[in-house]
Amino acid sequence: MSISHVDLNALADKYGTPLYLYDQNAMEDKIDAYLDNFVSDRFETQVLYASKAFSCKGMIQLVKQKGMSLDVVSGGELFVAQQVGFDMKKVYFHGNNKSADEIEFALSLDVSTIVVDNYQELLLVDKLAKQLGKKIKVLFRLNIGVDAHTHKYISTALFESKFGMMPDSKAFADCMSYFSDNTNVVFDGIHCHIGSQVFEINAYKLAIDKMVDIISQWSKPLTLNIGGGFGVRYTDEDKPIDTAELCKMLIDYVHKALDDKKVKINKLLIEPGRSIVGEAGSTIYTVGFTKQIPTKSFYFVDGGMTDNIRPALYQAKYDCDVVGKQNEPKTNKVTIAGKCCESGDLIIEDVMLPDAQSGDRIVVYTTGAYGYSMSSNYNKATTPAVVFVKDGNAKVVIKRQTYQDLVANDVDDEWSKL
Ligand SMILES: Cc1ncc(COP(=O)(O)O)c(C=O)c1O
């Protein structure tokens, strides 16, 4: 059983398990599909990789080579971009509670744009930009009240959401009346992100209608950022839209909405994260013990919620195979459980699989987004290595953590009087 001509058992033997692995060809194909199809003859387009889905130097280097733009949400993600010499003119800085240090860091690197979440942030960005003698473009994150019909933890534009400002709110009105010749912030447009793992093109159409309606208030052509969240296939229940088709539909719909309202924009942005890395990633585990209780059978694996919190956090579903037994009859209904001290530490519940023994490897598919990036050291688990595979070759992009790494920041400091 192999991915990009690399045998999964051989990978597990060489690098150990749990192991995150990414098919580089699959990521490159996705990126190409976005860059080739998200184009318009009427305005500039930019595809931003939402680096929160999976960020490390190897990944951001790939994004850089491909000529994509980047969405970062923290000083840490920005630092990774800086480390690989990412063109800061292609970096957009998001987040609902950026610290002054993070904003200063972004300003000092001359990022393209700060996506401002609230009025207090606008004041802080302007103050810091003045202090540093910088001018900075800002987009405003708007909460446009579109239900993306996804899990409530990844629905981000319902009116109760913590993100952004409502278009008719006092906060947004205050932001809009703030700009003058004396401000160091420059109004460049508006942003929304309706949620993640979204399959309904109609949700995006509704969002585009609302955003174009809002942007029609200004005569100057602005930037419109319609976010990311494009759904991927975790199980057969998920029916993602082909990326090329999705891009064309979005562009056509934006053209239509602009025509209807007689509005012009300068630039259109999208921010896919999951759909670039999700399906390209898999996790290989080794089965330890197996257990039968009257109501269930378990295959215990050597990772769990520490390398994939999504099932415990929002009941995310996955598919898997027993490596080398993928063509055997799937006769056993089993639950793949991790090794953490939490009853919710279940990677997949009640999945049909062939008989597996201790030492067999299990590959869980579509773990490339929000797996490594949400991993933790709970129970002092070490974070698995990350390996990229391509055309029969493999390379480590993140080393497995060691026990020593787990105590590297622990210190036995002297007490000091405060
Ligand atoms: C503002 C913003 N843009 C883009 C994304 C990426 O979403 P996805 O990885 O589902 O494409 C997110 C995800 O949380 C987000 O909050």
Side-chain angles (χ1 to χ4, degrees):
M1 187 181 197
S2 60
I3 293 182
S4 202
H5 306 292
V6 177
D7 180 77
L8 298 193
N9 271 325
L11 268 179
D13 289 344
K14 180 160 183 192
Y15 300 109
T17 60
L19 184 70
Y20 294 112
L21 95 111
Y22 286 81
D23 178 348
Q24 185 164 327
N25 285 331
M27 295 191 283
E28 291 188 30
D29 289 350
K30 267 286 172 190
I31 294 175
D32 290 342
Y34 274 111
L35 293 179
D36 293 346
N37 294 287
F38 194 71
V39 286
S40 163
D41 51 8
R42 298 211 210 158
F43 41 76
E44 191 190 330
T45 52
Q46 253 178 300
V47 184
L48 282 52
Y49 170 59
S51 63
K52 72 200 80 178
F54 170 54
S55 171
C56 69
K57 289 190 339 188
M59 183 64 210
I60 304 307
Q61 188 75 48
L62 179 67
V63 172
K64 178 185 162 192
Q65 274 161 15
K66 286 285 182 185
M68 271 183 118
S69 302
L70 197 67
D71 149 359
V72 298
V73 292
S74 67
E77 287 183 1
L78 187 54
F79 180 72
V80 177
Q82 184 197 25
Q83 289 293 298
V84 302
F86 206 92
D87 177 0
M88 289 294 156
K89 285 282 153 247
K90 291 180 161 182
V91 174
Y92 289 71
F93 188 22
H94 285 268
N96 68 304
N97 191 26
K98 304 171 190 79
S99 69
D101 281 352
E102 288 176 312
I103 294 169
E104 272 175 358
F105 184 30
L107 289 169
S108 68
L109 292 182
D110 290 318
V111 298
S112 155
T113 304
I114 295 185
V115 183
V116 168
D117 178 89
N118 55 66
Y119 183 59
Q120 290 171 26
E121 183 184 340
L122 181 66
L123 301 186
L124 182 60
V125 172
D126 190 33
K127 182 176 127 190
L128 297 174
K130 273 199 182 84
Q131 282 169 10
L132 293 173
K134 306 269 183 188
K135 283 264 178 199
I136 181 78
K137 283 191 285 184
V138 295
L139 297 182
F140 289 106
R141 176 152 186 174
L142 296 181
N143 179 354
I144 52 173
V146 169
D147 188 348
H149 293 124
T150 186
H151 192 281
K152 71 173 180 175
Y153 289 179
I154 46 177
S155 245
T156 51
L158 300 178
F159 283 137
E160 68 206 17
S161 164
K162 71 171 183 169
F163 299 107
M165 292 169 279
M166 289 186 209
D168 54 1
S169 62
K170 178 174 180 312
F172 186 47
D174 288 345
C175 288
M176 293 320 308
S177 54
Y178 183 73
F179 296 94
S180 74
D181 291 345
N182 296 327
T183 50
N184 287 43
V185 281
V186 179
F187 175 52
D188 191 50
I190 53 175
H191 164 266
C192 70
H193 170 77
I194 57 175
S196 273
Q197 189 58 354
V198 180
F199 296 108
E200 291 186 33
I201 191 74
N202 283 340
Y204 288 104
K205 289 182 174 173
L206 191 56
I208 291 167
D209 282 335
K210 290 194 175 208
M211 293 293 276
V212 168
D213 196 33
I214 297 164
I215 219 167
S216 67
Q217 298 169 44
W218 296 280
S219 50
K220 159 182 160 196
L222 295 169
T223 296
L224 182 58
N225 182 336
I226 54 174
F230 312 114
V232 300
R233 185 202 171 279
Y234 288 96
T235 69
D236 285 340
E237 285 171 24
D238 303 320
K239 310 271 184 247
I241 311 167
D242 170 73
T243 301
E245 210 178 302
L246 170 80
C247 290
K248 287 181 186 144
M249 281 197 287
L250 291 173
I251 293 279
D252 286 349
Y253 199 78
V254 170
H255 285 169
K256 179 187 161 314
L258 293 173
D259 287 346
D260 288 351
K261 291 271 169 201
K262 299 193 180 20
V263 183
K264 281 201 169 53
I265 56 169
N266 185 31
K267 210 190 275 183
L268 181 69
L269 313 180
I270 47 171
E271 307 168 326
R274 173 191 321 262
S275 68
I276 288 176
V277 290
E279 291 178 32
S282 309
T283 309
I284 311 175
Y285 299 101
T286 302
V287 177
F289 303 119
T290 58
K291 181 185 274 187
Q292 302 239 330
I293 58 171
T295 52
K296 260 185 186 316
S297 286
F298 292 103
Y299 291 169
F300 293 152
V301 293
D302 51 355
M305 62 193 295
T306 44
D307 56 79
N308 187 355
I309 188 74
R310 297 186 67 257
L313 193 60
Y314 26 70
Q315 299 85 49
K317 304 270 183 289
Y318 287 90
D319 255 0
C320 69
D321 271 312
V322 180
V323 178
K325 297 186 177 174
Q326 62 278 14
N327 298 322
E328 291 184 13
K330 298 185 170 177
T331 48
N332 301 0
K333 190 196 254 191
V334 293
T335 288
I336 312 289
K339 57 184 291 169
C340 297
C341 297
E342 287 285 319
S343 301
D345 177 29
L346 309 173
I347 297 290
I348 310 180
E349 280 193 88
D350 296 336
V351 58
M352 296 305 293
L353 284 180
D355 211 18
Q357 320 293 328
S358 178
D360 275 335
R361 267 71 181 249
I362 294 207
V363 55
V364 178
Y365 302 108
T366 320
T367 57
Y370 307 103
Y372 172 83
S373 60
M374 289 178 134
S375 63
S376 77
N377 292 129
Y378 175 53
N379 287 170
K380 284 280 184 261
T382 51
T383 306
V386 181
V387 171
F388 282 8
V389 295
K390 182 173 165 133
D391 304 331
N393 298 303
K395 70 167 181 185
V396 177
V397 293
I398 305 176
K399 288 192 298 190
R400 182 177 303 283
Q401 273 187 333
T402 62
Y403 288 155
Q404 202 53 46
D405 293 330
L406 294 176
V407 292
N409 286 346
D410 293 12
V411 286
D412 190 12
D413 202 3
E414 296 294 317
W415 291 100
S416 55
K417 187 94 189 137
L418 286 180

